[in-house]
Amino acid sequence: MIFTDVYWDRHDCILTLKDHWLRQRQGKWELKCPSVGNDTNKTACTLYTEHTVEETILQIVSPILETQTGISMSCLADFTAFANLEQICRIETTRKEYILGKFTIVLDKTDFGFQIGEIEIVVDSNEHVPEALDKISDLANRLGLESKTRIPGKVDAYLQRHRPDHYRKLIQLQVLSENPKK
């Protein structure tokens, strides 16, 4: 499968500096924001809540951007212009996906040469997160994978290479953890 992600933020990077990642994947809007207990600098796992309903996304990002949504701002395409959002990242990804019981294993290769694998479990409530993290860690260990520290993702790598000032701000605010490899 091949898909394109376009990430959006304002020139001051207010959304991403608050760890809110607004994107279009194949034209569909998504917002990833931190879940309870998300500490990307202390664990190999990242915990995000993903929102796909445009009205919900508008309700979450409007206060961060200090904008008001009116009746005419019912869709994110209109809102991006109104809120002065711009594309900060565009990545085409070739993905291979495998199902192993309750796990989804994804292997991604980007158009700028970055490659990463992820082990995912989707849970329906925060109370199931600790058990899911333990299962992911156990599977990673059985597969011989390092699971002690967070591996930077494709957006981290893109920003580090193509928007280094933005990347440094995210590191300073501990939204992202330092990646010594370029």
Side-chain angles (χ1 to χ4, degrees), residues 78-96:
D78 292 338
F79 182 77
T80 58
F82 174 76
N84 296 314
L85 298 181
E86 56 191 44
Q87 291 184 20
I88 60 162
C89 178
R90 181 183 196 87
I91 302 172
E92 183 175 287
T93 302
T94 301
R95 172 170 286 179
K96 292 184 180 180

Side-chain angles (χ1 to χ4, degrees), residues 88-107:
I88 60 162
C89 178
R90 181 183 196 87
I91 302 172
E92 183 175 287
T93 302
T94 301
R95 172 170 286 179
K96 292 184 180 180
E97 190 170 294
Y98 305 93
I99 304 299
L100 180 63
K102 293 183 178 184
F103 301 99
T104 300
I105 300 171
V106 296
L107 303 175

Side-chain angles (χ1 to χ4, degrees), residues 20-98:
H20 284 63
W21 302 87
L22 179 62
R23 74 176 175 206
Q24 283 177 290
R25 175 167 285 174
Q26 296 303 97
K28 294 183 181 179
W29 290 97
E30 300 174 345
L31 177 68
K32 293 176 74 170
C33 48
S35 294
V36 175
N38 186 21
D39 188 344
T40 60
N41 290 317
K42 292 185 180 172
T43 179
C45 298
T46 55
L47 307 173
Y48 284 96
T49 300
E50 293 189 22
H51 301 279
T52 57
V53 176
E54 287 194 27
E55 184 177 319
T56 303
I57 294 170
L58 285 166
Q59 290 172 354
I60 294 169
V61 300
S62 292
I64 296 170
L65 296 166
E66 298 177 352
T67 59
Q68 297 295 319
T69 57
I71 294 171
S72 64
M73 289 298 128
S74 60
C75 75
L76 278 160
D78 292 338
F79 182 77
T80 58
F82 174 76
N84 296 314
L85 298 181
E86 56 191 44
Q87 291 184 20
I88 60 162
C89 178
R90 181 183 196 87
I91 302 172
E92 183 175 287
T93 302
T94 301
R95 172 170 286 179
K96 292 184 180 180
E97 190 170 294
Y98 305 93

Side-chain angles (χ1 to χ4, degrees):
M1 143 185 7
I2 298 174
F3 59 89
T4 301
D5 288 330
V6 178
Y7 285 80
W8 296 83
D9 205 342
R10 221 169 42 196
H11 71 281
D12 60 2
C13 310
I14 189 68
L15 288 175
T16 54
L17 293 177
K18 293 188 181 287
D19 206 8
H20 284 63
W21 302 87
L22 179 62
R23 74 176 175 206
Q24 283 177 290
R25 175 167 285 174
Q26 296 303 97
K28 294 183 181 179
W29 290 97
E30 300 174 345
L31 177 68
K32 293 176 74 170
C33 48
S35 294
V36 175
N38 186 21
D39 188 344
T40 60
N41 290 317
K42 292 185 180 172
T43 179
C45 298
T46 55
L47 307 173
Y48 284 96
T49 300
E50 293 189 22
H51 301 279
T52 57
V53 176
E54 287 194 27
E55 184 177 319
T56 303
I57 294 170
L58 285 166
Q59 290 172 354
I60 294 169
V61 300
S62 292
I64 296 170
L65 296 166
E66 298 177 352
T67 59
Q68 297 295 319
T69 57
I71 294 171
S72 64
M73 289 298 128
S74 60
C75 75
L76 278 160
D78 292 338
F79 182 77
T80 58
F82 174 76
N84 296 314
L85 298 181
E86 56 191 44
Q87 291 184 20
I88 60 162
C89 178
R90 181 183 196 87
I91 302 172
E92 183 175 287
T93 302
T94 301
R95 172 170 286 179
K96 292 184 180 180
E97 190 170 294
Y98 305 93
I99 304 299
L100 180 63
K102 293 183 178 184
F103 301 99
T104 300
I105 300 171
V106 296
L107 303 175
D108 288 346
K109 182 177 181 181
T110 68
D111 56 350
F112 61 95
F114 184 78
Q115 297 181 60
I116 190 166
E118 298 175 347
I119 301 171
E120 300 176 342
I121 295 180
V122 176
V123 295
D124 56 6
S125 70
N126 284 336
E127 69 185 34
H128 297 140
V129 169
E131 179 184 353
L133 292 174
D134 288 343
K135 287 179 179 180
I136 289 171
S137 181
D138 181 56
L139 178 60
N141 288 334
R142 286 189 288 143
L143 294 173
L145 303 172
E146 171 65 41
S147 65
K148 302 283 187 239
T149 58
R150 181 179 178 274
I151 305 296
K154 59 189 168 199
V155 177
D156 306 37
Y158 179 95
L159 294 174
Q160 185 180 26
R161 294 174 190 188
H162 301 288
R163 295 178 59 104
D165 291 340
H166 185 176
Y167 177 79
R168 279 191 290 278
K169 288 178 190 174
L170 291 163
I171 296 296
Q172 288 169 351
L173 293 174
Q174 297 183 342
V175 173
L176 300 178
S177 54
E178 187 81 51
N179 177 14
K181 299 176 186 173
K182 292 192 181 199

